Amino acid sequence: MSSVPYRNLSKANATAIPNFHPPPASEGKQTADSATNKIAQNFVTSIYDAKVSDLNRNVTITWLKNLMSHTLNILVENPYGENHYTCKIDLKTWQFWGKKGLKSFKVDGKRVDIFWDFRTAKFTTSPEPYSDFYIAFVSGDEVVLLLGDMKHEAFKRTKSRPSLVDPMLLHKKECVFGKKCFYSRTMFGHGKREHDITIETSLSGPSDPEMLIIVDGDTLIRVMNLHWRFRGNESVVVDDKPVQIFWDVHDWLYTNGPNSGQGIFIFKQGATESEDNDGNGDWRILCDEYSGNGTEFCHLLQAWKIE
């Protein structure tokens, strides 16, 4: 992958990443109803650096699912102004043919085509497909960004060659829900391949609360005495590469009511930046768009606990 300078993502992020605020549970509502309302509002946002219309730009991909809709929102950065280039794809269409399509628009006066095929896409609890799909961005007869696992089908349909400049995944932000277990996928390690993440918790019972952070079935972190270690960080090794993992689950333990708030987790590839951190700071700034130089991927995970 190419090394590119890290640009300020705040403008491109402003309209692309939803600010998730779970609705308060109304009095008299069943816990299950509240949980359903929350689960219906999850999202996954990924920001890539890709060469579009002869210029490296941030491309923001947001998968959003709620009770009424399931959409894919695409935003291509205009580094010279406030008016970014946007495209919206409806994934909850009743027409089978609507799950395969093409949209075109102009970026700096040059045509950009977006091809997609979700006809056989497989989903889990995430609004983002797990497999059997593709999204291909074509600019200047090159596939400048290709998402999904059906790469052969994408190149055959677009009749375009791969880009000479590899895109780079810079940042991922995700919202998940669960009672005791939370699931996600993230990309780090040698070759930047995707890994399955599981966070298991035990917050009640005869023993002290504890938490496990599991990657590809292997327990990498076990946090005992969670009442004392509700914030912290550890460095682990995945695919021979160092990864920093930060957590803040204060709200899980000390927020009353059926909806006990969110836990914050950050997965950031690279060596530990400071040996002075004692787990009492706000780790979210480490995965903020203003920090870093763009050479290491960072994943911010919001885990909402439901009863």
Side-chain angles (χ1 to χ4, degrees):
M1 287 189 176
S2 60
S3 178
V4 297
Y6 194 76
R7 300 187 303 280
N8 191 324
L9 309 184
S10 57
K11 291 182 180 180
N13 268 354
T15 57
I17 298 180
N19 293 319
F20 178 81
H21 301 287
S26 301
E27 292 186 5
K29 282 282 188 180
Q30 296 294 325
T31 300
D33 292 339
S34 177
T36 301
N37 289 336
K38 291 173 67 175
I39 290 175
Q41 302 179 58
N42 51 354
F43 69 86
V44 179
T45 293
S46 299
I47 303 176
Y48 296 83
D49 182 280
K51 191 171 184 180
V52 181
S53 295
D54 302 322
L55 185 67
N56 279 85
R57 306 169 189 266
N58 294 320
V59 179
T60 302
I61 309 293
T62 298
W63 308 86
L64 178 62
K65 187 175 183 180
N66 54 42
L67 292 176
M68 300 301 296
S69 66
H70 187 184
T71 59
L72 167 62
N73 299 280
I74 299 169
L75 185 148
V76 179
E77 175 195 28
N78 176 10
Y80 304 117
E82 296 291 339
N83 296 321
H84 304 294
Y85 311 97
T86 61
C87 174
K88 182 177 180 180
I89 300 171
D90 183 11
L91 302 181
K92 204 173 182 179
T93 176
W94 293 103
Q95 292 85 8
F96 183 75
W97 57 265
K99 296 184 178 180
K100 178 181 179 181
L102 162 66
K103 285 191 177 182
S104 302
F105 54 93
K106 294 287 185 70
V107 175
D108 285 350
K110 299 180 180 179
R111 177 171 169 168
V112 174
D113 296 321
I114 300 180
F115 297 82
W116 70 87
D117 189 344
F118 300 113
R119 292 176 299 174
T120 59
K122 293 180 174 59
F123 292 86
T124 56
T125 57
S126 172
E128 181 181 17
Y130 186 84
S131 64
D132 299 335
F133 77 101
Y134 67 77
I135 309 168
F137 292 69
V138 178
S139 174
D141 297 325
E142 291 184 345
V143 178
V144 296
L145 179 61
L146 179 57
L147 307 179
D149 55 349
M150 296 172 57
K151 300 184 185 300
H152 175 75
E153 291 83 353
F155 282 115
K156 181 178 179 180
R157 183 181 173 202
T158 61
K159 300 178 181 178
S160 301
R161 64 181 183 276
S163 174
L164 298 177
V165 179
D166 289 336
M168 178 182 292
L169 178 59
L170 302 177
H171 179 90
K172 185 174 182 179
K173 184 177 181 181
E174 182 176 9
C175 188
V176 297
F177 302 84
K179 294 183 178 181
K180 295 182 179 181
C181 294
F182 304 86
Y183 304 98
S184 180
R185 290 185 298 167
T186 196
M187 186 175 293
F188 44 52
H190 183 71
K192 295 291 186 71
R193 69 181 182 89
E194 281 197 321
H195 297 266
D196 292 320
I197 304 294
T198 303
I199 299 170
E200 293 186 3
T201 63
S202 175
L203 303 182
S204 62
S207 60
D208 288 331
E210 65 177 16
M211 177 176 67
L212 303 178
I213 300 178
I214 303 167
V215 177
D216 295 336
D218 296 325
T219 300
L220 298 187
I221 296 177
R222 182 178 184 183
V223 184
M224 307 288 290
N225 300 318
L226 202 57
H227 277 305
W228 296 99
R229 297 189 64 200
F230 54 81
R231 294 191 185 102
N233 71 293
E234 288 192 21
S235 294
V236 299
V237 176
V238 179
D239 286 350
D240 299 323
K241 294 291 184 179
V243 175
Q244 301 175 67
I245 301 179
F246 305 84
W247 66 88
D248 182 346
V249 295
H250 173 275
D251 289 355
W252 284 359
L253 298 165
Y254 301 112
T255 300
N256 295 324
N259 305 318
S260 57
Q262 66 172 326
I264 298 293
F265 297 86
I266 293 174
F267 302 87
K268 186 171 185 179
Q269 183 156 310
T272 304
E273 297 177 353
S274 173
E275 297 298 332
D276 299 327
N277 293 330
D278 59 4
N280 294 320
D282 186 351
W283 301 114
R284 280 167 283 193
I285 195 172
L286 295 173
C287 204
D288 184 79
E289 59 265 27
Y290 297 104
S291 64
N293 58 10
T295 60
E296 298 295 357
F297 167 68
C298 186
H299 184 173
L300 173 60
L301 180 65
Q302 299 172 325
W304 288 91
K305 189 175 184 299
I306 56 178
E307 297 298 336

